[in-house]
Amino acid sequence: MHNQLTKFGYSVGQLAFGSITLATVTLASVYVHSHFAATAFAYLVVILLFSLMGSFIASSALSIFSVAALAYLFAPPTFSLQIDDPQDLLVLVAFLTASMVGTQLIRNVRRERETARDIAAKLRNSEADLRDREKRWRAIFEHNPVMYFMLDEAGTVLNVNTFGATQLGYGPEELVGLSVLKIFRDEDREVVRKCIGECLTNIGQSHTWDIEKVRKDGSALWVRENAKAMLWADDKPIVLIACEDITEQKRTVLALQRSEAHLAQAQELSHTGSFGWNVATGEVFWSRETFRLFQYDPETKPTPQFVIDRTHPEDKTSVQDTLNRALRGEHFEHEYRLLMPDGSIKYIHAVARATRTASGNIEFVGAATDVTTAKQTEQQLRRSEAYLVDAQQLSRTSTWSWDCNRRCFAYRSAEVSRLFGFDPDEPISLDAIRSRIHPDDLALQQEVQRQAIEQKTGNFEYDFRIRLPDGAIRYIHAIAHAVVGSDGSTVELIGTHMDVTEHHAARERLENTLAALRESEQRFRDYAETASDWLWETGPDHLLTQFLEHASAAGVVAKGVIGLPRREIARDVEEEPDKWRQHQATLDAHLPFRDLIYRTVNRHGCPTYVRTSGKPFFDGSGNFLGYRGVSTDITAMIRADQAEQELRKAQADLAHVTRLTALGELTASIAHEVNQPLTAIISNADACLGWLGRKTPDLPAARSSVEWIIEDAIRASEVIRRIRALAKKGEIEMVTIDINDVVKDAIALVTRELANHQVALRTELAPTLPAILADRVQLQQVIINLVMNGIEAMQTIGDRTRELVIQSSLDDMGRVQLSVTDCGIGIAEDDTNHILDPFYTTKASGLGMGLSICRSIVEAHGGRLSIVRKQGPGATFQFVLPLHEEAVS
């Protein structure tokens, strides 16, 4: 009502103001004599303007007033309501129509504008209200203790509440735009894809699942997700997910499941099944292990009769008595046997406690344990106890128990006394036992025991020695562990003593053997690496199938040898047919061969000598598969042997010349040695003739003269033999000889030279020297040369006795040693290192070959010639020679 009055008053005011305006326009038009149409247009403008400002009623009234004014004041004749001019009438009608239509249109526009203004005001109010509601719901969404996720159909996070992001350790902005799969474990992502796919397939239906999410720090978060897909703008589907934290619940469930699994596993490991029995209802509960113990199907419902049916016939009465006592509510514990379907016997130990339920019924909770193994062990233990003493004695192992509080043995087997060398039947004290422990090991043993008492856990082992009264040493290995009392202290040590003397000796032998084996292995590895130039293998047809050549031997063998037999590789088959026929016979017999030497050509076409050895190999059935072996290029060795033979021939020729030279120098001595027996022969022959020319021939005396003649002839013949031997040129003849005999032969040839130069010879020959393998003539040459050098070195000596000493002995390495020592002028320091070199001499007329030849002869016999420094004047030359193998053995 108030609004209507307000509108009416507004319309009246507008009408009055409009009337005044029209009157003003009218007066102006009359004053200026305005044309009818112009006045009408001015009126129309005023009416339209007031239509925009006022109400429709006022505008309509102004239109009527305007028409009346036009018709009365401006249409000719003036001041009458009659309009004669049709054109003016048309203008008047058009004016009225335009004013009314314009006023109506403006009215409609104003109404629509007011309506729009009202709608806008309402919208503003609605928007503010919506913001308030959104703010409230956003607060609820953000802080609701439930995790909310909004996903698109690809699984990308469109929105997440603060609580949900915080629970995962993220900020909301960190998760928006990421794939939701990032917060799940790799192995669960396929499940998440499947669940989101089911939501998108069934739009509007809720889906629930439990799954584990991964926080930013890597920890786990179990949630129960409730998800629903719905259509969003542009009919695009989205998935809304609400997540409930069930981590603690899941942990409880998992802990319960784990506990149940551990219980079941513990029952299985301990062979103990649990059971429950309600006496009033007869209801029986068995765990899975109980079913296994009694070998019943777990799907069946157990009854007390099941126990009776499985009980051994001899134990059924006692089991039934136990069940009868249980019916009266008594606790029970008993053992009995089961007779299993396969005929085996099983021992069961059952224990149960009776309780009363809230309704007053008796209910038993108990456990049944399979003690078959314990029973069998107990029986075996009883049997083993009977053998323990003998076993300890045979194995030399003792057992003992040490009381830590009383500091004495609580138990000690008889073998302890035997190990320590005491009579088992006689009592022994702790001090007596400790007196037998080796002093170097006693402190260690006590320290180990002290540590075991303090540490309380684990076994401890130590070794010590026992020194018996006869001085023998025994090695003992001890193993023990500590027993802890109820107060946590060590109350006892229980252990064993084992006599490991033989093991110790065997271990030493084994270690020595292993060391020798390793050395041998390394030695043979070195042999394998250095003893050959290439390895080869042939097939059963003796054609080369493999050929491995060392880098150092590259180029030794010609190319293309694979697939060829050895006869085609060799180049001396026609020259030595017997060797190759024998080799082929060895191959046909599948026998090993060693050191076959043949000539071939290398890949450059040069002659090459090869030494090869091979061994046949067979498969598991004994079938011949071929040969494997090694080959070595011995071309250099063959050529070296040839050169050495030529060198030896030259040395032999030179030595022969030297001997002839020496014989020339010894001519006077040789003549004297030969003349002596010849003179004796002549004298004895004259004497023999005298004995025979008597009237009565003295035959015994004549016989003695003849015998003397024979002895002197032999003496002369021996001298000539020695001379011929020195003068003879021939091959070296290695024979077993005694070095002392060679010395005596040489002395016989130089005796005259010693006398002529007034040299006293002294020999110190060790008796029973072992034999050596040597050429007698060459050793005589060495000794004669050394003696003659010693004689020459003493020619200018006049202030002391000229003495030459020849000594034979064994050196520190067990070799035969011979030395020649003079007391002459000696050898200068500068000459010592070169005196044995060829063509080096200190004599004015010497060639410098004598000592060089002597050194060559000694070295050819495997020995060594050297100069020994001595105190006083003169020089000592000595040489050593290896023993003959027969003498060594």
Side-chain angles (χ1 to χ4, degrees), residues 307-377:
V307 179
I308 300 296
D309 293 342
R310 279 284 189 266
T311 302
H312 194 280
E314 297 178 3
D315 295 342
K316 283 187 177 182
T317 301
S318 63
V319 172
Q320 187 63 56
D321 292 342
T322 301
L323 292 178
N324 293 337
R325 292 197 307 273
L327 292 174
R328 298 193 295 269
E330 299 179 9
H331 304 319
F332 64 85
E333 181 177 0
H334 68 128
E335 290 186 3
Y336 56 96
R337 291 170 293 173
L338 300 181
L339 181 60
M340 309 311 294
D342 60 359
S344 61
I345 301 297
K346 187 179 292 186
Y347 290 84
I348 299 296
H349 177 81
V351 59
R353 294 292 178 265
T355 60
R356 288 195 178 273
T357 63
S359 58
N361 296 330
I362 298 175
E363 189 172 77
F364 282 91
V365 177
T369 304
D370 182 359
V371 295
T372 305
T373 303
K375 281 292 183 182
Q376 293 173 348
T377 303

Side-chain angles (χ1 to χ4, degrees), residues 456-497:
K456 303 178 184 178
T457 57
N459 293 339
F460 65 94
E461 301 184 31
Y462 60 94
D463 295 319
F464 64 95
R465 292 166 293 177
I466 294 176
R467 186 166 59 184
L468 299 178
D470 60 359
I473 299 295
R474 285 181 181 171
Y475 290 85
I476 304 298
H477 180 69
I479 305 176
H481 69 275
V483 178
V484 181
S486 58
D487 59 352
S489 62
T490 303
V491 297
E492 196 173 18
L493 295 178
I494 298 177
T496 62
H497 285 158

